[in-house]
Amino acid sequence: SGPFTVLIADGTYNLNRGFWITGSNFIIRSKSGNRDAVLLNGKGMDSTMTHVFWFVGQNSTVADISFGGVRNHAIQIMGESTRNADGMTLHNVRIFDTGEQMLKGSTDKVAGADNGLVECSLFEYTNKLGPRAYIGGIDVHLGKNWVVRNNVFRNIRSPQAGSGPAEHAVHFWSTSENITVEGNTIINCDRGIGLGLGSSPVHGGLIRNNMIYNNGQGLNDDVGIGLESADNVEVYHNTIYFDGSYANAIEYRFAATTNTLIYNNLTNKAIKKRDNGQAT
């Protein structure tokens, strides 16, 4: 039913617990349209407060607000078959300071959240480091037909040498399909854009017109764009510049990475085949 619209007045709201949104066609946004004027602030990255939002229903929107400061995810899109939260839109939001991934698309390995749109938003750690390696920007399992465009990701970095890199600024895996990542700016993140991971595949994707920059001051810097068991993906018109020691700007890995086109990218590091990946 719906749509239902919740307009939030300008101000800082210190939360004691998150919001579980069970209905469909919900719209949550600031009344002013200024995302910096509405702050939903959790109790901290090491607190008992795990989320700001869980979404269970379909076709909902969050826009024009800032939210974060929680132990797990600022927003979780519940794609499990008993919930099936498809059609989520995030527009012009700022998500900050989470103990795990900022936006999580979850799955029960049967179904996932599909048809998501994330645009014109900012994902950042305000202290220029995350609290641990197990953090990330957007992390979606078994998602289909997502578009991530025209966002900024900053300082998604692991704080301790040898702990391994933080997860990607943008990551789709666990049999996700038909993913478009375009026009994003990724600054000083351990890893930039990832489709697939190990043997966990992605089928079909487009990565284009992204700018990825790393000043080389991270403790666990890794690749700019990584394809792992990702087939039928095109990677083009991206610019990647790394000051650090990591050798590769783009990697394509594992034998399941097939029918891949990588062209017209501008990088100062190598484009590298690994572990029997295949690309043109």
Side-chain angles (χ1 to χ4, degrees):
S1 55
F4 303 98
T5 300
V6 177
L7 297 177
I8 305 176
D10 290 354
T12 297
Y13 300 85
N14 294 314
L15 307 177
N16 290 314
R17 61 181 182 178
F19 301 96
W20 183 272
I21 310 297
T22 59
S24 295
N25 303 303
F26 258 79
I27 300 171
I28 300 173
R29 66 193 318 156
S30 64
K31 187 175 181 180
S32 66
N34 179 0
R35 76 181 181 201
D36 296 320
V38 172
L39 176 62
L40 305 184
N41 196 24
K43 299 175 73 175
M45 291 184 285
D46 293 313
S47 72
T48 57
M49 183 175 169
T50 62
H51 296 64
V52 177
F53 294 112
W54 294 264
F55 276 87
V56 175
Q58 298 186 4
N59 301 320
S60 292
T61 297
V62 178
D64 308 328
I65 64 174
S66 297
F67 57 101
V70 292
R71 190 182 76 202
N72 292 354
H73 317 299
I75 182 168
Q76 183 166 348
I77 317 302
M78 307 289 287
E80 293 84 345
S81 53
T82 55
R83 307 190 189 283
N84 199 24
D86 295 339
M88 187 75 208
T89 294
L90 270 74
H91 173 80
N92 190 38
V93 300
R94 173 178 170 255
I95 300 180
F96 62 91
D97 296 349
T98 60
E100 295 182 358
Q101 300 81 26
M102 296 180 181
L103 183 158
K104 186 75 168 186
S106 55
T107 179
D108 57 4
K109 299 184 180 180
V110 175
D114 299 332
N115 305 315
L117 171 63
V118 184
E119 63 181 1
C120 306
S121 296
L122 171 62
F123 297 75
E124 66 174 346
Y125 282 93
T126 56
N127 196 36
K128 298 187 178 181
L129 286 173
R132 55 189 60 86
Y134 187 62
I135 58 172
I138 295 172
D139 184 77
V140 176
H141 298 266
L142 218 166
K144 298 178 182 178
N145 307 317
W146 279 71
V147 177
V148 178
R149 65 188 181 200
N150 303 330
N151 305 285
V152 176
F153 300 84
R154 289 200 297 238
N155 305 319
I156 302 174
R157 278 179 159 166
S158 172
Q160 185 176 359
S163 64
E167 295 190 6
H168 305 74
V170 181
H171 190 206
F172 289 83
W173 51 318
S174 303
T175 321
S176 293
E177 297 181 18
N178 190 32
I179 305 303
T180 298
V181 183
E182 62 182 354
N184 301 285
T185 301
I186 299 172
I187 304 169
N188 296 335
C189 297
D190 285 349
R191 287 187 278 190
I193 299 166
L195 296 185
L197 189 69
S199 61
S200 179
V202 165
H203 305 302
L206 183 62
I207 301 173
R208 64 182 176 189
N209 296 327
N210 300 282
M211 174 67 197
I212 304 173
Y213 169 74
N214 192 320
N215 64 9
Q217 297 177 14
L219 301 174
N220 299 278
D221 290 337
D222 207 288
V223 73
I225 296 174
L227 308 178
E228 300 188 20
S229 301
D231 62 79
N232 294 287
V233 175
E234 291 187 58
V235 180
Y236 64 90
H237 297 329
N238 300 285
T239 301
I240 304 173
Y241 188 91
F242 283 180
D243 276 333
S245 60
Y246 195 79
N248 303 323
I250 301 172
E251 295 177 349
Y252 52 102
R253 301 186 65 180
F254 306 116
T257 298
T258 60
N259 298 318
T260 303
L261 297 176
I262 301 173
Y263 59 95
N264 205 38
N265 300 282
L266 178 64
T267 80
N268 72 324
K269 301 283 186 173
I271 299 172
K272 181 72 171 178
K273 173 179 179 174
R274 298 181 62 185
D275 305 300
N276 301 310
Q278 300 176 55
T280 298

